[in-house]
Amino acid sequence: MSKNDKPRLSKLYYVYGLYEEGSEDPFYIGKGNSRRPKAHIYEAKRGHKCPKCAKIRKIWASGKKVECWALVQTEDQAFAYAEEIRIIAEYGTSNLTNLTVGGEGRMDTPELIAERAYQAMLMHERIKIADIRRKTGSTRKLV
């Protein structure tokens, strides 16, 4: 069997939360593939200056660990972006270290934020999350 004959694994996208060990509330919500959550750890180790990395270093300084949990898993990147926006809106940016409201990661005006949140809500209503989530238990730990 040649390399081209092998079935291709579909690419999965995750919406994930970064949590302080023992906490039930995330301090950051992100979207990516299986490698993306680890990038935050490397950024923090390298001294990256952003609220998320500062929070990670503060957690480490307290002797705790940073945990990453998958909240949504899907093959549909647009749905993953919509879910990221919805979950960030659910927690509120004032309770997270996210610099944007999610989606493609650009800084937004209040009008764009409202429109993107509305579009995410509409998509969420049209698609049943249970049909595309694959879970082990209630969430899946990524890191």
Side-chain angles (χ1 to χ4, degrees), residues 27-118:
F27 63 87
Y28 179 84
I29 300 294
K31 176 248 160 222
N33 60 30
S34 62
R35 295 182 185 146
R36 179 64 182 132
K38 293 177 184 173
H40 302 303
I41 302 303
Y42 298 131
E43 289 172 354
K45 285 181 180 177
R46 288 192 302 265
H48 191 264
K49 296 187 185 318
C50 69
K52 172 192 62 201
C53 291
K55 175 74 172 177
I56 290 170
R57 287 189 293 273
K58 184 177 177 183
I59 291 168
W60 289 338
S62 74
K64 292 186 176 181
K65 295 179 182 179
V66 173
E67 296 178 336
C68 181
W69 292 88
L71 306 173
V72 176
Q73 179 179 321
T74 181
E75 294 177 4
D76 183 342
Q77 186 173 26
F79 181 74
Y81 278 132
E83 282 297 280
E84 178 191 29
I85 292 166
R86 183 188 65 77
I87 294 168
I88 289 171
E90 206 172 276
Y91 282 99
T93 53
S94 61
N95 298 312
L96 300 167
T97 59
N98 292 66
L99 297 175
T100 71
V101 295
E104 297 181 30
R106 59 185 183 268
M107 301 298 265
D108 295 316
T109 65
E111 294 81 16
L112 284 174
I113 290 169
E115 177 61 24
R116 289 170 78 198
Y118 176 72

